[in-house]
Amino acid sequence: MSISLRKFASRLIAATLAVSAMASVSAAALEQPVAVLSSNLNSSVGTVLTSDEINTAEQALAKADAKAKAEAEAKAKAEAEAKAEAAKEATAQSEYNQLLTAPVSARTVSYSSSLLASDTVKSNATALGNYKLTFYCPCATCNGVAGAKTASGTTPTEGRTIAVDSSIIPLGSRVYIEGYGTFIAEDTGGAIKDNKLDIFVSSHDRAYDLGVQYANVYLLG
């Protein structure tokens, strides 16, 4: 509350008490202007407020209270929004860190809408664009020799291994394929160039059944 408002409030309270105390003096006295009821009253509260001044003071107090309340509500809302945003960012960062560090284990490769790229992936990973996806297996037809190791020396595993153009996606990188999930760039191939990659599966029949697909690809790290 401002000093001027405090002054108005003090005068209002003092005037009310003084007038109440003098009510028994005489009815005639109350007909006189409030400002000259007595020298004692004036000396105790200064210039006595008129009814208009009292109304003005009350309105000013109400406006000040309303403004203070609005400012407090706005501050509380801003703090709540900032807290919620910080929590959201922390959760997103935690999810992304999980993609970078969680083991990429063997699993059956198949498209799933639950594996569409999340906002976390889109905002943190490097978008490489829309890729042509083909599929290969450990047979001699797909690899030139049956049971071959990958270009990085690992044993190819369905759900983990993909063949990439290593000039774009370095070997060892984690790659998120929209609709298919996280893989590791472990292999290369003569036909795997530019925006094309090969996803390893366990059998030639599965590779044939999956055919050719297209999906957005993100480099996680």
Side-chain angles (χ1 to χ4, degrees), residues 9-24:
S10 297
R11 289 180 176 179
L12 176 59
I13 293 170
T16 301
L17 293 174
V19 171
S20 178
M22 297 180 63
S24 60

mmCIF file with all atom_site columns, all heavy atoms in Angstrom, residues 9-24:
data_model
loop_
_atom_site.group_PDB
_atom_site.id
_atom_site.type_symbol
_atom_site.label_atom_id
_atom_site.label_alt_id
_atom_site.label_comp_id
_atom_site.label_asym_id
_atom_site.label_entity_id
_atom_site.label_seq_id
_atom_site.pdbx_PDB_ins_code
_atom_site.Cartn_x
_atom_site.Cartn_y
_atom_site.Cartn_z
_atom_site.occupancy
_atom_site.B_iso_or_equiv
_atom_site.pdbx_formal_charge
_atom_site.auth_seq_id
_atom_site.auth_comp_id
_atom_site.auth_asym_id
_atom_site.auth_atom_id
_atom_site.pdbx_PDB_model_num
ATOM 1   N N   . ALA A 1 9  ? -6.206  5.974  4.751  1.00 0.00 ? 9  ALA A N   1
ATOM 2   C CA  . ALA A 1 9  ? -6.793  4.944  5.611  1.00 0.00 ? 9  ALA A CA  1
ATOM 3   C C   . ALA A 1 9  ? -6.734  5.352  7.078  1.00 0.00 ? 9  ALA A C   1
ATOM 4   O O   . ALA A 1 9  ? -7.680  5.176  7.844  1.00 0.00 ? 9  ALA A O   1
ATOM 5   C CB  . ALA A 1 9  ? -6.076  3.611  5.399  1.00 0.00 ? 9  ALA A CB  1
ATOM 6   N N   . SER A 1 10 ? -5.577  5.910  7.487  1.00 0.00 ? 10 SER A N   1
ATOM 7   C CA  . SER A 1 10 ? -5.425  6.339  8.885  1.00 0.00 ? 10 SER A CA  1
ATOM 8   C C   . SER A 1 10 ? -6.423  7.428  9.225  1.00 0.00 ? 10 SER A C   1
ATOM 9   O O   . SER A 1 10 ? -7.048  7.440  10.289 1.00 0.00 ? 10 SER A O   1
ATOM 10  C CB  . SER A 1 10 ? -3.998  6.836  9.115  1.00 0.00 ? 10 SER A CB  1
ATOM 11  O OG  . SER A 1 10 ? -3.080  5.796  8.904  1.00 0.00 ? 10 SER A OG  1
ATOM 12  N N   . ARG A 1 11 ? -6.543  8.386  8.308  1.00 0.00 ? 11 ARG A N   1
ATOM 13  C CA  . ARG A 1 11 ? -7.499  9.474  8.534  1.00 0.00 ? 11 ARG A CA  1
ATOM 14  C C   . ARG A 1 11 ? -8.923  8.949  8.624  1.00 0.00 ? 11 ARG A C   1
ATOM 15  O O   . ARG A 1 11 ? -9.710  9.381  9.462  1.00 0.00 ? 11 ARG A O   1
ATOM 16  C CB  . ARG A 1 11 ? -7.407  10.498 7.399  1.00 0.00 ? 11 ARG A CB  1
ATOM 17  C CG  . ARG A 1 11 ? -6.116  11.319 7.417  1.00 0.00 ? 11 ARG A CG  1
ATOM 18  C CD  . ARG A 1 11 ? -6.106  12.301 6.267  1.00 0.00 ? 11 ARG A CD  1
ATOM 19  N NE  . ARG A 1 11 ? -4.931  13.162 6.303  1.00 0.00 ? 11 ARG A NE  1
ATOM 20  C CZ  . ARG A 1 11 ? -4.677  14.099 5.383  1.00 0.00 ? 11 ARG A CZ  1
ATOM 21  N NH1 . ARG A 1 11 ? -5.539  14.276 4.379  1.00 0.00 ? 11 ARG A NH1 1
ATOM 22  N NH2 . ARG A 1 11 ? -3.599  14.845 5.467  1.00 0.00 ? 11 ARG A NH2 1
ATOM 23  N N   . LEU A 1 12 ? -9.235  8.001  7.765  1.00 0.00 ? 12 LEU A N   1
ATOM 24  C CA  . LEU A 1 12 ? -10.581 7.431  7.743  1.00 0.00 ? 12 LEU A CA  1
ATOM 25  C C   . LEU A 1 12 ? -10.904 6.756  9.068  1.00 0.00 ? 12 LEU A C   1
ATOM 26  O O   . LEU A 1 12 ? -11.974 6.962  9.650  1.00 0.00 ? 12 LEU A O   1
ATOM 27  C CB  . LEU A 1 12 ? -10.695 6.433  6.591  1.00 0.00 ? 12 LEU A CB  1
ATOM 28  C CG  . LEU A 1 12 ? -12.016 5.667  6.468  1.00 0.00 ? 12 LEU A CG  1
ATOM 29  C CD1 . LEU A 1 12 ? -13.183 6.626  6.290  1.00 0.00 ? 12 LEU A CD1 1
ATOM 30  C CD2 . LEU A 1 12 ? -11.932 4.689  5.314  1.00 0.00 ? 12 LEU A CD2 1
ATOM 31  N N   . ILE A 1 13 ? -9.997  5.959  9.579  1.00 0.00 ? 13 ILE A N   1
ATOM 32  C CA  . ILE A 1 13 ? -10.215 5.250  10.846 1.00 0.00 ? 13 ILE A CA  1
ATOM 33  C C   . ILE A 1 13 ? -10.328 6.238  12.008 1.00 0.00 ? 13 ILE A C   1
ATOM 34  O O   . ILE A 1 13 ? -11.221 6.153  12.860 1.00 0.00 ? 13 ILE A O   1
ATOM 35  C CB  . ILE A 1 13 ? -9.070  4.259  11.100 1.00 0.00 ? 13 ILE A CB  1
ATOM 36  C CG1 . ILE A 1 13 ? -9.123  3.141  10.041 1.00 0.00 ? 13 ILE A CG1 1
ATOM 37  C CG2 . ILE A 1 13 ? -9.164  3.647  12.495 1.00 0.00 ? 13 ILE A CG2 1
ATOM 38  C CD1 . ILE A 1 13 ? -7.899  2.249  10.050 1.00 0.00 ? 13 ILE A CD1 1
ATOM 39  N N   . ALA A 1 14 ? -9.384  7.211  12.029 1.00 0.00 ? 14 ALA A N   1
ATOM 40  C CA  . ALA A 1 14 ? -9.389  8.182  13.123 1.00 0.00 ? 14 ALA A CA  1
ATOM 41  C C   . ALA A 1 14 ? -10.661 9.016  13.124 1.00 0.00 ? 14 ALA A C   1
ATOM 42  O O   . ALA A 1 14 ? -11.258 9.289  14.177 1.00 0.00 ? 14 ALA A O   1
ATOM 43  C CB  . ALA A 1 14 ? -8.156  9.073  13.024 1.00 0.00 ? 14 ALA A CB  1
ATOM 44  N N   . ALA A 1 15 ? -11.078 9.436  11.935 1.00 0.00 ? 15 ALA A N   1
ATOM 45  C CA  . ALA A 1 15 ? -12.282 10.259 11.833 1.00 0.00 ? 15 ALA A CA  1
ATOM 46  C C   . ALA A 1 15 ? -13.498 9.493  12.308 1.00 0.00 ? 15 ALA A C   1
ATOM 47  O O   . ALA A 1 15 ? -14.362 10.022 13.013 1.00 0.00 ? 15 ALA A O   1
ATOM 48  C CB  . ALA A 1 15 ? -12.462 10.734 10.400 1.00 0.00 ? 15 ALA A CB  1
ATOM 49  N N   . THR A 1 16 ? -13.578 8.219  11.941 1.00 0.00 ? 16 THR A N   1
ATOM 50  C CA  . THR A 1 16 ? -14.720 7.393  12.349 1.00 0.00 ? 16 THR A CA  1
ATOM 51  C C   . THR A 1 16 ? -14.786 7.258  13.860 1.00 0.00 ? 16 THR A C   1
ATOM 52  O O   . THR A 1 16 ? -15.847 7.385  14.481 1.00 0.00 ? 16 THR A O   1
ATOM 53  C CB  . THR A 1 16 ? -14.606 5.996  11.711 1.00 0.00 ? 16 THR A CB  1
ATOM 54  O OG1 . THR A 1 16 ? -14.576 6.133  10.287 1.00 0.00 ? 16 THR A OG1 1
ATOM 55  C CG2 . THR A 1 16 ? -15.782 5.129  12.097 1.00 0.00 ? 16 THR A CG2 1
ATOM 56  N N   . LEU A 1 17 ? -13.639 6.998  14.486 1.00 0.00 ? 17 LEU A N   1
ATOM 57  C CA  . LEU A 1 17 ? -13.598 6.855  15.942 1.00 0.00 ? 17 LEU A CA  1
ATOM 58  C C   . LEU A 1 17 ? -13.962 8.155  16.641 1.00 0.00 ? 17 LEU A C   1
ATOM 59  O O   . LEU A 1 17 ? -14.692 8.189  17.639 1.00 0.00 ? 17 LEU A O   1
ATOM 60  C CB  . LEU A 1 17 ? -12.207 6.392  16.382 1.00 0.00 ? 17 LEU A CB  1
ATOM 61  C CG  . LEU A 1 17 ? -11.817 4.967  15.952 1.00 0.00 ? 17 LEU A CG  1
ATOM 62  C CD1 . LEU A 1 17 ? -10.370 4.694  16.334 1.00 0.00 ? 17 LEU A CD1 1
ATOM 63  C CD2 . LEU A 1 17 ? -12.740 3.954  16.618 1.00 0.00 ? 17 LEU A CD2 1
ATOM 64  N N   . ALA A 1 18 ? -13.413 9.268  16.104 1.00 0.00 ? 18 ALA A N   1
ATOM 65  C CA  . ALA A 1 18 ? -13.657 10.562 16.740 1.00 0.00 ? 18 ALA A CA  1
ATOM 66  C C   . ALA A 1 18 ? -15.124 10.960 16.648 1.00 0.00 ? 18 ALA A C   1
ATOM 67  O O   . ALA A 1 18 ? -15.741 11.419 17.615 1.00 0.00 ? 18 ALA A O   1
ATOM 68  C CB  . ALA A 1 18 ? -12.783 11.629 16.093 1.00 0.00 ? 18 ALA A CB  1
ATOM 69  N N   . VAL A 1 19 ? -15.704 10.779 15.482 1.00 0.00 ? 19 VAL A N   1
ATOM 70  C CA  . VAL A 1 19 ? -17.107 11.136 15.307 1.00 0.00 ? 19 VAL A CA  1
ATOM 71  C C   . VAL A 1 19 ? -17.994 10.269 16.179 1.00 0.00 ? 19 VAL A C   1
ATOM 72  O O   . VAL A 1 19 ? -18.968 10.725 16.786 1.00 0.00 ? 19 VAL A O   1
ATOM 73  C CB  . VAL A 1 19 ? -17.508 10.999 13.823 1.00 0.00 ? 19 VAL A CB  1
ATOM 74  C CG1 . VAL A 1 19 ? -19.018 11.148 13.658 1.00 0.00 ? 19 VAL A CG1 1
ATOM 75  C CG2 . VAL A 1 19 ? -16.802 12.056 12.985 1.00 0.00 ? 19 VAL A CG2 1
ATOM 76  N N   . SER A 1 20 ? -17.657 9.001  16.305 1.00 0.00 ? 20 SER A N   1
ATOM 77  C CA  . SER A 1 20 ? -18.419 8.091  17.156 1.00 0.00 ? 20 SER A CA  1
ATOM 78  C C   . SER A 1 20 ? -18.362 8.525  18.610 1.00 0.00 ? 20 SER A C   1
ATOM 79  O O   . SER A 1 20 ? -19.355 8.486  19.335 1.00 0.00 ? 20 SER A O   1
ATOM 80  C CB  . SER A 1 20 ? -17.871 6.667  17.006 1.00 0.00 ? 20 SER A CB  1
ATOM 81  O OG  . SER A 1 20 ? -18.564 5.793  17.850 1.00 0.00 ? 20 SER A OG  1
ATOM 82  N N   . ALA A 1 21 ? -17.169 8.964  19.054 1.00 0.00 ? 21 ALA A N   1
ATOM 83  C CA  . ALA A 1 21 ? -16.998 9.393  20.447 1.00 0.00 ? 21 ALA A CA  1
ATOM 84  C C   . ALA A 1 21 ? -17.773 10.664 20.744 1.00 0.00 ? 21 ALA A C   1
ATOM 85  O O   . ALA A 1 21 ? -18.232 10.893 21.871 1.00 0.00 ? 21 ALA A O   1
ATOM 86  C CB  . ALA A 1 21 ? -15.517 9.605  20.743 1.00 0.00 ? 21 ALA A CB  1
ATOM 87  N N   . MET A 1 22 ? -17.940 11.519 19.743 1.00 0.00 ? 22 MET A N   1
ATOM 88  C CA  . MET A 1 22 ? -18.600 12.808 19.957 1.00 0.00 ? 22 MET A CA  1
ATOM 89  C C   . MET A 1 22 ? -20.099 12.746 19.683 1.00 0.00 ? 22 MET A C   1
ATOM 90  O O   . MET A 1 22 ? -20.810 13.743 19.783 1.00 0.00 ? 22 MET A O   1
ATOM 91  C CB  . MET A 1 22 ? -17.968 13.877 19.059 1.00 0.00 ? 22 MET A CB  1
ATOM 92  C CG  . MET A 1 22 ? -16.490 14.139 19.387 1.00 0.00 ? 22 MET A CG  1
ATOM 93  S SD  . MET A 1 22 ? -15.807 15.388 18.305 1.00 0.00 ? 22 MET A SD  1
ATOM 94  C CE  . MET A 1 22 ? -16.818 16.790 18.785 1.00 0.00 ? 22 MET A CE  1
ATOM 95  N N   . ALA A 1 23 ? -20.611 11.577 19.317 1.00 0.00 ? 23 ALA A N   1
ATOM 96  C CA  . ALA A 1 23 ? -22.017 11.476 18.942 1.00 0.00 ? 23 ALA A CA  1
ATOM 97  C C   . ALA A 1 23 ? -22.942 11.872 20.067 1.00 0.00 ? 23 ALA A C   1
ATOM 98  O O   . ALA A 1 23 ? -24.060 12.341 19.854 1.00 0.00 ? 23 ALA A O   1
ATOM 99  C CB  . ALA A 1 23 ? -22.339 10.050 18.495 1.00 0.00 ? 23 ALA A CB  1
ATOM 100 N N   . SER A 1 24 ? -22.491 11.703 21.324 1.00 0.00 ? 24 SER A N   1
ATOM 101 C CA  . SER A 1 24 ? -23.345 12.001 22.469 1.00 0.00 ? 24 SER A CA  1
ATOM 102 C C   . SER A 1 24 ? -23.278 13.464 22.896 1.00 0.00 ? 24 SER A C   1
ATOM 103 O O   . SER A 1 24 ? -23.980 13.885 23.799 1.00 0.00 ? 24 SER A O   1
ATOM 104 C CB  . SER A 1 24 ? -22.918 11.128 23.663 1.00 0.00 ? 24 SER A CB  1
ATOM 105 O OG  . SER A 1 24 ? -21.571 11.405 23.990 1.00 0.00 ? 24 SER A OG  1
#
